[in-house]
Amino acid sequence: MRKRQVVLRRASPEEPSRSSSTASSLTVRGVRYGECQKNHAAAVGGYAVDGCREFMASNGEEGSVAALTCAACGCHRSFHRREIETEVVCDCNSPPSTGN
C-alpha cells in the first residue's frame, strides 16, 4: 500500500520560485492576496488603512483592468499583501521518520 503525505507551508516573498516534479513528489504553488495595505493618510503624514481583509476581484474578464480592482475597497490588487501558498505532495513507500 502506498502512503501519501501532504505538507503545506507558506513561502516567504524572498524565497525563489521553484516548481519541481519528480517521480516521488510534486510542488504546487498558488498566490492569494490578503489585507489591503494602502495608506490613505500618507498625504497628511499619518498612517491609516481601510480595513479590507482580502482582495475580491471586481466583475470583469480575467486580465482586464476591472479584474485587478478590489470589489470591497476599490484599490488596485498591488496594494493587497501577496501570499504565496505552497503545497508539497509526496507519494512515499516508507513510513515517516520518528526522529529516533
Side-chain angles (χ1 to χ4, degrees):
M1 176 193 306
R2 294 183 82 177
K3 292 186 178 185
R4 183 175 174 142
Q5 180 181 10
V6 177
V7 179
L8 294 176
R9 67 181 177 93
R10 291 200 177 180
S12 65
E14 295 83 23
E15 186 176 311
S17 178
R18 291 180 288 165
S19 182
S20 64
S21 176
T22 64
S24 62
S25 68
L26 172 69
T27 302
V28 180
R29 291 187 183 257
V31 176
R32 181 180 161 271
Y33 292 90
E35 66 270 1
C36 184
Q37 297 180 336
K38 182 176 181 181
N39 183 3
H40 294 278
V44 294
Y47 181 77
V49 294
D50 61 11
C52 179
R53 301 294 295 157
E54 184 177 1
F55 176 79
M56 293 182 293
S58 296
N59 293 337
E61 289 187 32
E62 183 74 25
S64 68
V65 176
L68 297 176
T69 304
C70 182
C73 66
C75 293
H76 189 272
R77 184 176 74 182
S78 64
F79 286 107
H80 289 260
R81 185 169 49 88
R82 185 174 187 230
E83 299 174 352
I84 301 172
E85 296 176 340
T86 304
E87 180 179 349
V88 179
V89 179
C90 176
D91 290 328
C92 302
N93 290 330
S94 61
S97 170
T98 59
N100 291 334

